[in-house]
Amino acid sequence: MIPYTRVYAAVNLDVVEHNMKAMVANLTEGTGIMGVVKADGYGHGAVWVAGAIDPYVRGYAVATAEEAFLLRRHGISKPILILGVTHESCIRQLIEQEIRPTVFQRKQALALSRTAVDMGKIVRIHLALDTGMSRIGMRACPESADLAEEIASMPGICVEGLFTHFARADETDKTSARQQLRAYLDFVKLLEERGVKILVRHISNSAGLMEMREADCDLVRAGISIYGLYPSDEVDRDRVALRPAMELKSRLTYVKTIGAGVRVSYGGTFVADRPMIVATVPIGYGDGYPRSLSGKGRVLIRGKSAPILGRVCMDQMMVDVTDIRGAAEDDEVTLIGRDGTEEITVEELARLGGGFHYEIICGIGKRVPRVYIRDGKVVGKKDYFDDVCRDFSVGQSQGAELGIQ
Ligand SMILES: *Cc1c(COP(=O)(O)O)cnc(C)c1O
């Protein structure tokens, strides 16, 4: 049924939908969701995820112009906001495709205004307000309110939204997040005093939308929660019941017995202290599987845990199957996800490897095909090996033999 035998990431679109419904049920009535599908949908595939969540979102957020263009090219027609800074060279294309840029500097607004007027169009923008991230955005102060007023009066520009971003909403102590919320609301008041009406106010990320009803406003920006992960261990999991949408699977390529004293993998860091049965799994850090899990992580085979032996290589790694009866070549290997009653979560990998769960899913490499599942059936795939490099040519060397001229 799955068209891949080495390794694949299965993305369950029914689970994605389940996560969306769980979030909607928790939100204040009237608050909409903006689906954050940056970094190729946190490694899940932005296009397929966007398609799956389309009925549940007012629009989408991405990090870059290219990510926005990709969605448009695949027929995604709802509003798209670029959360990062967009280079001037993208403005024309962005206005043509009605993509919303983030703005917080006069020069950005002037360039947008000039091009919009030239094209005879109106560009809808969102202002970014810095209330504590110190990343991008105008500082929350009266001078910035003056600038916002000036931008709102520029020809060809419609200030559709104003957003800020929480730095610490995923912590139990919400003091800092509440301060950011207060700074945001005060700034909205400054704008109102200047006659600038903000149609779409949005603040919350996944952590905020789970735990801070007071920050709901017009929209919340859901990211990691779409994919079924919680922003941090401090977030209360009972409020919104999320389920991880991605599983990472492989198959054993080789099973053998080694004697006591035999070393395993680069550097010989693991030494067998008894005869062992060792299995080779054809996945490695070249697939985005963290090398930091060397000697620490585990996989599931036949519903049981198999610890990683020694270093994770680029394309392969070895696991201990001594205690897994009947473990054999071609057995399914679960690196992330469920097998029987056992489950390996992305959070577990992050903890064991000293990494960050967001980073692990974003880092699943392009060599790993994504397979999309609905109603238990494969409904699509995304495979880097299907890409064609245009304008690429080398000489006619097909069929040449190594070492022979
Ligand atoms: C990435 C991002 C989000 C989503 O954050 P999650 O923690 O994944 O929900 C929301 N807003 C901005 C500005 C972001 O950069």
Side-chain angles (χ1 to χ4, degrees):
M1 183 182 85
I2 302 279
Y4 295 103
T5 49
R6 183 185 72 92
V7 59
Y8 64 91
V11 177
N12 190 320
L13 299 175
D14 296 320
V15 171
V16 169
E17 275 205 43
H18 159 89
N19 295 334
M20 294 308 296
K21 285 183 187 146
M23 281 189 274
V24 169
N26 185 49
L27 282 178
T28 305
E29 182 114 25
T31 298
I33 296 182
M34 185 182 266
V36 183
V37 292
K38 61 193 181 188
D40 202 17
Y42 292 48
H44 293 62
V47 170
W48 278 89
V49 170
I53 67 177
D54 200 71
Y56 302 91
V57 298
R58 300 252 177 95
Y60 299 90
V62 294
T64 73
E66 293 76 11
E67 292 181 333
F69 299 148
L70 179 75
L71 293 183
R72 283 284 185 258
R73 208 156 64 235
H74 285 85
I76 301 289
S77 58
K78 286 188 177 178
I80 302 174
L81 170 65
I82 301 171
L83 295 169
V85 176
T86 304
H87 192 266
E88 260 191 52
S89 57
C90 299
I91 291 180
R92 212 158 255 282
Q93 209 178 344
L94 180 147
I95 295 175
E96 273 164 9
Q97 302 189 23
E98 294 184 24
I99 293 160
R100 279 79 164 156
T102 286
V103 174
F104 51 93
Q105 288 176 304
R106 182 178 286 103
K107 63 170 188 190
Q108 300 163 337
L110 284 172
L112 284 160
S113 170
R114 213 179 304 122
T115 310
V117 168
D118 184 52
M119 295 171 73
K121 301 233 175 180
I122 301 285
V123 58
R124 291 196 183 89
I125 65 160
H126 287 228
L127 297 174
L129 184 70
D130 180 10
T131 58
M133 267 294 279
S134 304
R135 188 167 67 178
I136 58 169
M138 42 178 80
R139 279 191 311 124
C141 64
E143 293 74 43
S144 299
D146 294 341
L147 173 60
E149 183 183 1
E150 185 192 334
I151 292 173
S153 73
M154 289 180 186
I157 286 193
C158 163
V159 177
E160 180 182 58
L162 172 76
F163 73 98
T164 195
H165 188 46
F166 285 134
R168 304 175 63 178
D170 59 332
E171 298 175 13
T172 310
D173 182 351
K174 297 285 189 275
T175 310
S176 157
R178 283 203 199 93
Q179 278 165 359
Q180 285 194 261
L181 173 60
R182 169 82 4 241
Y184 177 89
L185 295 174
D186 287 348
F187 191 79
V188 169
K189 212 167 287 161
L190 289 182
L191 292 187
E192 279 168 1
E193 285 164 17
R194 285 162 176 76
V196 180
K197 178 102 188 67
I198 300 294
L199 296 170
V200 185
R201 295 160 301 150
H202 49 114
I203 307 173
S204 274
N205 50 6
S206 295
L209 77 89
M210 277 179 217
E211 302 203 314
M212 297 181 68
R213 288 287 62 76
E214 66 272 36
D216 277 349
C217 289
D218 299 305
L219 286 181
V220 293
R221 299 184 305 275
I224 196 83
S225 44
I226 296 174
Y227 312 97
L229 306 187
Y230 291 88
S232 78
D233 286 340
E234 290 183 37
V235 171
D236 178 5
R237 287 170 189 240
D238 295 334
R239 296 196 194 209
V240 182
L242 300 175
R243 283 164 34 203
M246 187 197 280
E247 294 197 307
L248 185 62
K249 301 269 183 178
S250 181
R251 277 171 196 266
L252 294 181
T253 51
Y254 185 38
V255 179
K256 64 178 177 297
T257 303
I258 63 172
V262 171
R263 291 175 186 270
V264 177
S265 196
Y266 288 120
T269 54
F270 179 83
V271 191
D273 60 358
R274 64 203 151 101
M276 295 177 77
I277 307 173
V278 174
T280 302
V281 187
I283 184 173
Y285 63 80
D287 299 291
Y289 190 82
R291 184 174 179 273
S292 58
L293 289 165
S294 296
K296 293 181 178 157
R298 62 178 183 126
V299 304
L300 302 176
I301 297 162
R302 298 187 178 226
K304 295 213 175 77
S305 252
I308 296 174
L309 300 176
R311 290 195 189 141
V312 172
C313 312
M314 188 186 291
D315 320 302
Q316 310 181 69
M317 63 186 192
M318 279 63 79
V319 298
D320 178 7
V321 294
T322 309
D323 298 327
I324 301 178
R325 269 181 82 89
E329 286 154 21
D330 241 18
D331 275 2
E332 184 181 75
V333 180
T334 300
L335 298 118
I336 297 171
R338 284 181 180 282
D339 181 2
T341 55
E342 278 276 342
E343 181 177 15
I344 296 178
T345 63
V346 181
E347 288 88 342
E348 174 184 331
L349 299 188
R351 189 162 12 88
L352 292 175
F356 184 49
H357 55 314
Y358 284 65
E359 191 180 353
I360 290 174
I361 49 170
C362 288
I364 301 294
K366 60 179 182 294
R367 198 167 65 180
V368 178
R370 278 32 169 202
V371 175
Y372 297 95
I373 314 278
R374 235 185 224 295
D375 298 324
K377 291 191 194 70
V378 176
V379 293
K381 67 185 173 84
K382 188 170 83 78
D383 187 341
Y384 155 73
F385 293 104
D386 292 341
D387 288 357
V388 175
C389 302
R390 276 181 231 105
D391 306 324
F392 176 81
S393 83
V394 291
Q396 295 292 318
S397 58
Q398 203 176 4
E401 289 177 55
L402 278 176
I404 298 173
Q405 287 291 327

